[in-house]
Amino acid sequence: MVKKNSDISNLIEKARLKDQKAFNALLNTYWSDVFRFQLSKTENEDEAEDITIKTFSKAFDRIKLYNEQYNFKTWLISISKNIFIDHVRKQRTHTISINKKESEAYKIFDETPSAEDQLIIEQNLEQLLNYIKQLKPNYQEVINLRYFREMSYKEMADHLNEPMSNIKVKLLRAKKLLAAIIEKS
């Protein structure tokens, strides 16, 4: 782990130039700090992990905005805190009051696709595969492993011989890049 200020500053500069190794080094250096912070807030390991992944993704997307006057860890924690607040707000808006008078809570929907829906799904899948082919090979691979081969994060980490935290961030970045490609179309 890297912790000297000069080393961190050097990594930040490299990360600003899109150096993936610098991103990974920063992630490995600060992962446990951000994760522990989130775990203390959420008291749920899965939620803490998801928010930590989102924190690093957002930080790496906006690393050019980082101000060197502040400690990098403090900057990450403040991003993480904001993501947590957004997470809590979203949870509140999705809370449903189950009341017998509210029959909506008791409706069951048939989610089996019709023949027309299946055709649309197949056409969309072909289009999606074309979009995925526009990504860099390492992003194509993580999307393929996760969504088409249905590997767990642990299986992906073992298969690619990378830490699980790197796999999660790489997958999140791949999904963001894919969303940007789809939006442009």
Side-chain angles (χ1 to χ4, degrees):
M1 289 234 177
V2 183
K3 281 279 186 176
K4 289 182 189 171
N5 285 340
S6 61
D7 291 342
I8 296 299
S9 296
N10 189 19
L11 286 173
I12 292 167
E13 285 309 310
K14 287 180 180 178
R16 284 180 170 156
L17 299 172
K18 307 285 185 205
D19 181 327
Q20 190 63 45
K21 287 182 182 177
F23 283 131
N24 292 346
L26 289 168
L27 177 101
N28 291 331
T29 301
Y30 292 105
W31 176 269
S32 59
D33 294 325
V34 176
F35 178 77
R36 274 195 310 269
F37 170 76
Q38 279 306 324
L39 191 57
S40 73
K41 296 283 185 198
T42 63
E43 297 177 352
N44 177 313
E45 284 189 20
D46 291 334
E47 279 185 55
E49 195 170 85
D50 287 344
I51 295 171
T52 302
I53 292 167
K54 289 176 185 175
T55 299
F56 281 98
S57 178
K58 190 170 192 174
F60 293 158
D61 286 346
R62 299 182 179 175
I63 197 153
K64 290 185 184 214
L65 301 176
Y66 169 68
N67 184 340
E68 289 83 9
Q69 289 180 302
Y70 302 100
N71 185 307
F72 191 70
K73 177 181 165 183
T74 305
W75 185 66
L76 285 171
I77 296 293
S78 68
I79 291 171
S80 193
K81 185 166 77 174
N82 289 335
I83 292 172
F84 172 73
I85 290 168
D86 290 344
H87 175 75
V88 169
R89 283 184 189 141
K90 284 179 186 173
Q91 280 185 328
R92 285 187 189 148
T93 60
H94 288 93
T95 303
I96 298 172
S97 169
I98 298 178
N99 183 333
K100 289 183 182 177
K101 292 178 185 174
E102 295 176 24
S103 61
E104 290 295 313
Y106 296 99
K107 285 189 179 176
I108 298 173
F109 297 99
D110 181 13
E111 294 183 11
T112 309
S114 67
E116 295 85 5
D117 292 336
Q118 191 62 38
L119 181 62
I120 291 169
I121 289 167
E122 288 170 12
Q123 289 172 344
N124 288 342
L125 179 60
E126 185 178 333
Q127 184 61 52
L128 178 62
L129 292 172
N130 287 331
Y131 291 140
I132 292 171
K133 287 177 184 174
Q134 295 176 41
L135 294 171
K136 290 182 181 178
N138 61 329
Y139 292 135
Q140 287 180 30
E141 184 174 28
V142 293
I143 286 180
N144 178 38
L145 294 175
R146 182 71 176 158
Y147 298 107
F148 294 99
R149 293 182 55 193
E150 298 180 349
M151 286 187 174
S152 69
Y153 290 121
K154 176 149 182 30
E155 290 170 330
M156 290 171 65
D158 293 342
H159 180 77
L160 297 173
N161 197 25
E162 289 186 40
M164 198 174 345
S165 57
N166 289 8
I167 297 296
K168 289 178 179 182
V169 170
K170 194 181 285 186
L171 184 61
L172 191 63
R173 291 175 65 86
K175 288 180 354 187
K176 280 186 173 187
L177 291 169
L178 185 59
I181 290 169
I182 292 170
E183 273 184 31
K184 288 178 184 175
S185 300

